[in-house]
Amino acid sequence: MSLYTEITKLPRDPIIGLTELFKNDKRSTKYNLGVGVYLDENGNVPVLESVKKAAQLLYEKKDPCVYLPMVGLESFCEATKKLLFGLTYSSNVNIITTQTLGGTGALRLGAELLQRTKTVPFVAISEPSWENHRNIFESAGFKVKTYPYYDPNTNSFLFEQFLTFLKSLPKYTVVVLHANCHNPTGIDPAEEEWQEILDIIQKLDLIPFFDLAYQGFKASLKEDVSVLQTYIKFEKPFLVANSFSKNFSLYGERVGALSIFSCSHEESIKIQSHLKNIIRSLYSTPPTYGQRIVEQVLSNQKLYAIWQSEIQLMRTRITDMRNQIVKAFEEENLTSFSFIKDQHGMFSYSGLEKIHAEELRKKFGVYILDSGRICIAALNKNNLKYVTNAISAVVYKKMIQTKSF
Ligand code: LMR
C-alpha cells in the first residue's frame, strides 16, 4: 500500500494527449490534425506581424516584470471589454472583465465562481461539445448534462430539440454556448435561431456561459460577437470566456479573459472580490507578457488594422482548404463530404469514427480526434493529397469490411 495506491491511471486527454502521441511518433511523414491550432501554408504556427511589432514596442519600453493585479492589467481588461461588447458598453460598470489563463482558465474561474453562488442546479453542454467542457465543470463540482445539438445523419443543428430541452430547464441552469464556430461540429445556429434561443434563455432565467475561442474565424471580429451584443441588451446575468490563443496565434502565452455581466454595480463589486479570492488561491496573479502584447495590439490603431487583416488571411485560407478537401474527396469518389464547406471555424466534424482515427494514426501518421474532428486549419497544399488519400483508404477499407459481413 503506497500513498498513491488508491488513484488509478486516467486515459489520455483526447486533444492535448493526442499531441503528446504525435510528438513521440518518430516517422518523418506525420500530420497533427487533432489539436485546434492554425498552421500556415507551410505547416508552421505563424508569428503574426502585429504581434512582432507589439513585441518590439514592449522591448523598447523595457517595463519591469512586476506582479500584476490579481484580476490582470486594467488596460488589457478594458480593451477586451471593448472588443467583445463594443464602445457602447466599454465603460459599463456592470461588466467585469478579468484576465485569465486562456479560455480554459476563464471557463474554470467562472465555474468556481458559479459554484460559490450555491444556486446553480447543474450545467448543460452541447452534445457533442469541446472535449474539455465536461471536465472543467465537473472539476468545479457541478453535475453536467448534455443538450441535443447536432444530427450526424443530416450534419445539421437540432434546433427544435434544443429549444424543447431549454424549456425543461430549472431556473439558473448554466447553459454553455459556443458564441461562434461551434467546437467540434463547426455548425452554428442561424441568426433567427439565436434570437429564439437567447429569448427563451432570458425568459426562463437560465444563465448563458458563452465560450468564445474563435473570434474572427467565422465572419469578422465584429460579426463574431453579435450573440453577446444581442444578449447584453436583456440586462440579465451572463458570462463570457474568451481566448486570444487562436486569433493572436499566441497559444503558449495563455491569454484570455472572463467577462461577467451582473445586474448591479453592487453585485459586480461582490463578484470581483470572489474572483480575486479564487485567483489568489490558484495562481496569485496572472502572467504579464502575452496580455501586454494583446493589449498593445488592441489599443493601437495601426497594429489593430494589421491584426484584422491577418485574421482575415487565416479565415480565407481555412475556407480555401475546406473547398479543396471536398474537391480532393470527390476525386477519390468520396462525394459525401460536401457538408465540410458549410461548417465554420477551424474544425470539421467529419463523421469518421474512432476505428478510422486509429487506423489513420497507425498506418499513415495522420492524427485526428477519435470523435472524427479534423483540424482543417492544419491542412495545406503539401499535405492535402496525402491526408485525403489516407482517409479514403481507411473509409474504403471499412466499407469493404462492412459489405462482407
Ligand atoms: C482544441 O479544441 O483543440 C483547442 O481548443 C485546444 C484545447 O485546449 O483543447
Side-chain angles (χ1 to χ4, degrees):
M1 178 84 184
S2 87
L3 175 60
Y4 301 108
T5 305
E6 289 299 310
I7 61 165
T8 52
K9 184 174 180 294
L10 294 175
R12 70 169 163 81
D13 179 83
I15 302 177
I16 307 285
L18 189 72
T19 298
E20 285 165 15
L21 284 187
F22 177 79
K23 285 201 171 128
N24 292 333
D25 188 333
K26 298 281 176 276
R27 288 172 288 186
S28 56
T29 302
K30 54 173 186 169
Y31 300 108
N32 189 359
L33 311 178
V35 70
V37 171
Y38 174 91
L39 303 180
D40 64 17
E41 61 279 12
N42 300 313
N44 300 318
V45 178
V47 182
L48 302 189
E49 214 36 54
S50 49
V51 167
K52 277 192 224 164
K53 288 193 186 322
Q56 183 61 34
L57 290 176
L58 287 184
Y59 177 74
E60 283 158 17
K61 274 198 198 165
K62 300 219 175 347
D63 281 339
C65 194
V66 295
Y67 283 134
L68 289 185
M70 288 174 271
V71 291
L73 195 73
E74 201 180 332
S75 50
F76 163 85
C77 297
E78 290 305 312
T80 303
K81 201 162 143 181
K82 198 163 125 201
L83 181 74
L84 302 187
F85 304 105
L87 211 56
T88 330
Y89 290 95
S90 60
S91 50
N92 188 311
V93 288
N94 292 357
I95 313 169
I96 352 167
T97 298
T98 305
Q99 185 192 334
T100 58
L101 305 187
T104 306
L107 286 161
R108 181 64 189 266
L109 179 62
E112 293 294 336
L113 174 83
L114 291 167
Q115 189 57 263
R116 290 188 178 193
T117 67
K118 297 191 168 55
T119 48
V120 173
F122 57 88
V123 174
I125 61 172
S126 60
E127 173 56 48
S129 199
W130 178 44
E131 310 259 10
N132 205 19
H133 275 152
R134 176 179 290 280
N135 182 28
I136 288 170
F137 287 97
E138 284 183 349
S139 299
F142 283 112
K143 190 173 166 46
V144 175
K145 297 188 184 179
T146 55
Y147 56 80
Y149 189 83
Y150 179 74
D151 180 356
N153 298 316
T154 55
N155 301 299
S156 57
F157 171 44
L158 292 168
F159 179 52
E160 294 302 333
Q161 285 94 320
F162 182 33
L163 291 192
T164 309
F165 178 88
L166 282 177
K167 288 175 192 162
S168 74
L169 294 176
K171 189 173 169 169
Y172 298 148
T173 301
V174 170
V175 185
V176 178
L177 298 163
H178 303 232
N180 73 336
C181 303
H182 181 270
N183 178 3
T185 68
I187 301 287
D188 295 325
E191 208 180 312
E192 323 76 68
E193 291 172 334
W194 266 125
Q195 290 290 344
E196 230 175 298
I197 293 166
L198 299 180
D199 201 46
I200 290 175
I201 288 182
Q202 67 94 12
K203 277 196 183 118
L204 296 179
D205 285 319
L206 308 175
I207 310 295
F209 197 154
F210 296 98
D211 186 351
L212 176 69
Y214 301 95
Q215 187 180 1
F217 279 84
K218 184 173 184 182
S220 67
L221 284 168
K222 253 197 181 149
E223 288 162 277
D224 288 0
V225 287
S226 60
V227 176
L228 309 183
Q229 301 196 353
T230 302
Y231 202 78
I232 201 166
K233 296 200 180 93
F234 293 125
E235 305 211 332
K236 290 281 186 90
F238 70 95
L239 299 89
V240 184
N242 82 289
S243 165
F244 290 113
S245 299
K246 331 274 176 179
N247 54 17
F248 271 89
S249 194
L250 275 178
Y251 303 91
E253 290 297 338
R254 312 309 297 135
V255 196
L258 172 69
S259 295
I260 301 179
F261 181 86
S262 70
C263 295
S264 70
H265 189 42
E266 292 71 49
E267 255 183 25
S268 292
I269 291 169
K270 276 199 297 185
I271 291 169
Q272 196 169 52
S273 73
H274 279 272
L275 293 176
K276 284 182 181 169
N277 179 261
I278 298 165
I279 290 168
R280 182 69 169 136
S281 75
L282 288 172
Y283 52 87
S284 274
T285 63
T288 55
Y289 186 68
Q291 62 84 32
R292 278 188 179 155
I293 299 260
V294 171
E295 192 261 337
Q296 278 287 322
V297 175
L298 294 184
S299 56
N300 175 318
Q301 265 185 15
K302 251 191 189 158
L303 296 189
Y304 188 89
I306 299 174
W307 178 54
Q308 243 178 331
S309 60
E310 292 183 297
I311 297 177
Q312 189 181 354
L313 212 75
M314 294 196 266
R315 194 168 61 229
T316 316
R317 205 189 79 73
I318 297 173
T319 308
D320 186 37
M321 281 302 123
R322 286 189 184 282
N323 293 332
Q324 288 203 34
I325 197 172
V326 171
K327 199 161 152 246
F329 278 140
E330 280 164 3
E331 283 161 13
E332 301 276 342
N333 285 327
L334 287 170
T335 49
S336 54
F337 283 96
S338 57
F339 62 86
I340 292 178
K341 286 194 203 171
D342 305 325
Q343 301 168 333
H344 297 283
M346 285 193 174
F347 308 115
S348 168
Y349 204 53
S350 65
L352 296 177
E353 294 164 23
K354 189 173 175 195
I355 180 171
H356 297 124
E358 280 168 355
E359 198 151 330
L360 281 170
R361 227 165 33 234
K362 274 195 206 122
K363 281 214 171 127
F364 300 96
V366 172
Y367 286 66
I368 69 166
L369 298 193
D370 286 348
S371 67
R373 191 191 83 173
I374 300 176
C375 182
I376 299 288
L379 287 173
N380 59 52
K381 54 184 182 317
N382 300 320
N383 64 17
L384 187 89
K385 197 75 197 143
Y386 181 88
V387 169
T388 41
N389 282 344
I391 292 177
S392 157
V394 300
V395 169
Y396 273 124
K397 186 171 165 217
K398 178 85 192 313
M399 281 182 352
I400 291 161
Q401 275 172 352
T402 318
K403 265 191 201 151
S404 62
F405 271 115

